[in-house]
Amino acid sequence: MPDNEDTIILEDLNDGDLVEQMHDDIYDGLVDEIEQGTKILLNRGWDANNVLTEVLVEGMRVVGVDFRDGILFVPEVLLSANAMKGGMGLLRPILAQSDNIASTGKYVIGTVKGDIHDIGKNLVGMMLEGAGFEVVDLGINNSVEDYLHAIDKHQPHILGMSALLTTTMPYMKVVIEELDKRGILKQLHVMVGGAPLNQEFADAINSDAYGRDAAVSVELAKALVGKTQGRVLEAM
Ligand code: B1M
């Protein structure tokens, strides 16, 4: 615990110092501080998208580098992830505000079996909600059966799968093949995303789209739903 005289009053910091402090606080996994800092920046008129990208995502990027380099370990990274989620929780309702009265489309999203990474997936879900999509979030560690059940129940325009591990990304192919076998693949679009993926992989597993990041994913999702509606009109 720092002495009182060392305690930093976040309110007293200018924007630049506060952002730097929040990067440190994400690194140190300080959820209360991140929530407080997020509120301060929003009160100062910061755009929620900028708080997300410049503060939270950037803070987590540094954590990722040190995790890769063996400077941080799983328990520390979990704390960082928790701090980031604290900030994201405050941004979610703002980002999800949408002028669209009707839903842009229905999107089922989940992280694949064997994989518990969910920050990027949550971010994509939040941004989709912000763009007017009705998002059904299946969480993490989803089997083929989980996806099939959700598709049957929610009848989405798009199924989105996320994977952050090179060992779990091949499971996306398993899911797509099963959808194909059951004749479901032609009824919906599939989007895949996650740090180890690329367009080549998405093409190789027969996915309709590869979402490089949350912003691109939203644009792609809108385009895919547009295609679906085009198909429906053609059939009429
Ligand atoms: Co993990 N982990 N992790 N981890 N972790 C990575 C992925 C890793 C690259 C770290 C490293 O070594 N540098 C590495 C994978 C290496 C590899 O596969 N080649 C790794 C490893 C090895 C592991 C463990 C095996 C570690 C261990 O136990 N020894 C273990 C695996 C557990 C499991 O899943 N079975 C593990 C565990 C964990 C924590 C639990 C500690 C934690 C996860 C907490 C959580 O998610 N709730 C964690 C974290 C946080 C990371 C890093 C540091 C950060 C990931 C993250 O949240 N990034 C990560 C390093 C890294 O990626 N730099 C790492 C921020 C997020 C906003 O970005 O997720 O890429 P990202 O999402 C982006 C895009 O990819 C895209 O849009 C998002 C927003 O722009 N996107 C989509 C993502 N999903 C999408 C879906 C879409 C479209 C776009 O459509 C459906």
Side-chain angles (χ1 to χ4, degrees):
M1 281 288 279
D3 295 338
N4 270 349
E5 58 184 353
D6 291 338
T7 304
I8 295 163
I9 311 287
L10 296 181
E11 293 273 11
D12 292 347
L13 300 178
N14 64 37
D15 283 11
D17 289 343
L18 177 57
V19 169
E20 226 170 90
Q21 181 61 41
M22 287 176 73
H23 289 161
D24 289 349
D25 289 345
I26 289 217
Y27 196 92
D28 294 334
L30 303 178
V31 64
D32 290 345
E33 283 75 357
I34 288 301
E35 286 177 355
Q36 197 193 338
T38 301
K39 282 181 195 157
I40 294 171
L41 289 175
L42 291 174
N43 285 339
R44 289 183 189 173
W46 272 56
D47 181 77
N49 260 314
N50 292 342
V51 179
L52 186 63
T53 52
E54 291 174 32
V55 185
L56 303 184
V57 173
E58 173 56 20
M60 204 62 202
R61 188 190 63 78
V62 178
V63 171
V65 171
D66 280 4
F67 188 33
R68 180 197 62 207
D69 295 344
I71 298 165
L72 289 177
F73 296 94
V74 171
E76 291 138 328
V77 178
L78 264 179
L79 290 177
S80 298
N82 198 36
M84 177 161 183
K85 281 183 179 178
M88 278 166 66
L90 294 167
L91 299 178
R92 176 187 289 273
I94 304 169
L95 292 172
Q97 267 170 19
S98 169
D99 294 337
N100 301 335
I101 295 167
S103 152
T104 310
K106 208 175 220 187
Y107 195 116
V108 165
I109 190 167
T111 303
V112 297
K113 188 172 162 184
D115 201 320
I116 62 168
H117 296 86
D118 67 356
I119 296 176
K121 182 260 301 163
N122 294 345
L123 206 54
V124 173
M126 273 167 61
M127 301 285 276
L128 285 166
E129 279 176 5
F133 278 87
E134 190 181 338
V135 176
V136 179
D137 188 343
L138 306 181
I140 55 173
N141 197 25
N142 285 287
S143 64
V144 173
E145 293 72 28
D146 295 330
Y147 289 118
L148 286 173
H149 177 71
I151 291 167
D152 188 41
K153 186 170 173 198
H154 301 288
Q155 304 287 318
H157 297 88
I158 304 174
L159 171 69
M161 290 185 280
S162 179
L164 262 286
L165 299 172
T166 45
T167 49
T168 57
M169 53 192 259
Y171 195 74
M172 293 170 159
K173 184 166 185 260
V174 176
V175 177
I176 291 175
E177 282 177 350
E178 189 60 33
L179 294 179
D180 197 17
K181 213 161 80 186
R182 292 174 183 243
I184 301 171
L185 201 53
K186 50 182 183 297
Q187 295 168 18
L188 48 63
H189 301 287
V190 176
M191 183 187 295
V192 294
L197 278 66
N198 55 33
Q199 186 65 54
E200 208 182 346
F201 174 78
D203 293 341
I205 62 169
N206 201 17
S207 172
D208 297 299
Y210 159 62
R212 194 187 62 229
D213 59 36
V216 167
S217 303
V218 169
E219 291 315 311
L220 287 171
K222 284 185 191 163
L224 288 175
V225 170
K227 268 193 197 170
T228 313
Q229 282 159 355
R231 277 216 299 258
V232 171
L233 285 176
E234 272 169 32
M236 280 170 69

